[in-house]
Amino acid sequence: MNRKRRRLWILLLCAIGVGSATALTLTAFQDNIVFFRSPSDIMAERPAPERAFRLGGLVEAGSVEREEAAAGARPTVRFRVTDGAHAVPVTYQGVLPDLFREGQGVVTAGRLGLDGMFRATEVLARHDETYMPPEVADALKRAGHWQPEQGTPPPAATWNTLQPARTGSGS
C-alpha cells in the first residue's frame, strides 16, 4: 500500500470515528432535552407518553387536593395547571416548595399518562411576587391574556379566571 492510499484510509477511519461520536452525542442529548408546554399546547398536540417535558402555568384555584401519606411514604398532591384557556390535571408525590399555592405560577417536570394525568417528578414555584417564568409569560401572551406593551401582567390570582382575548373585527 503506498503512502497516498494509507492517508486516505486514515482519513476515512477518522471521519467514521468523528461521525459515530457525533451521532452518539446527539442521541444522548435527545433523551435529556426537556421541552416546555402550556396546557393549550398539550390540548392542541398531545405529546408521546414516554416523552418528558415541562408543563407550566398557574395552579388553578380550588384544585389542590392533598392525600395523607402513610408512615414513611411521600405525600401525594393533585392539582390542575391552567393557562386560562385549558387546564391539565397533575399528580405529584413529594414535598412541595414553600411558595407553592393556588393562583401562583408553577413549572412541573414529568410525563403525560395515557389517562391525561400529568405525573410530575419535580415541581418548581415562582421566586417572589414579581417573578414569572419566561415560559408562563410566553403562554399568557399566546393565549391573549397579556400584551407587554399594555403594561404589567394581571395579578397571578386572576390568571385562571381570565377570558381569552378575542381577535377579529366583528362582535
Side-chain angles (χ1 to χ4, degrees), residues 17-64:
V18 168
S20 298
T22 302
L24 289 173
T25 302
L26 291 175
T27 302
F29 279 138
Q30 183 179 7
D31 292 339
N32 293 324
I33 293 174
V34 179
F35 295 101
F36 172 83
R37 296 181 187 216
S38 69
S40 293
D41 294 339
I42 292 171
M43 294 302 164
E45 182 181 342
R46 188 179 180 94
E50 69 279 353
R51 186 72 173 153
F53 63 94
R54 292 185 301 161
L55 170 66
L58 300 171
V59 178
E60 190 174 67
S63 70
V64 179

Side-chain angles (χ1 to χ4, degrees), residues 70-148:
R74 298 186 311 178
T76 300
V77 180
R78 287 183 172 76
F79 56 94
R80 294 173 60 85
V81 173
T82 183
D83 61 0
H86 296 94
V88 173
V90 177
T91 184
Y92 174 70
Q93 284 189 325
V95 178
L96 291 168
D98 291 337
L99 295 174
F100 178 89
R101 60 184 167 271
E102 294 177 357
Q104 298 297 319
V106 68
V107 175
T108 60
R111 290 174 163 70
L112 187 66
L114 294 174
D115 58 355
M117 177 72 70
F118 185 81
R119 286 166 180 75
T121 56
E122 184 178 20
V123 175
L124 306 169
R126 67 189 192 125
H127 295 152
D128 62 20
E129 66 277 353
T130 60
Y131 175 76
M132 181 188 315
E135 297 91 349
V136 174
D138 292 342
L140 286 172
K141 290 175 199 172
R142 281 195 312 267
H145 294 307
W146 176 47
Q147 299 305 320

Side-chain angles (χ1 to χ4, degrees), residues 16 30 149 161 164:
I16 290 172
Q30 183 179 7
E149 61 274 359
T161 61

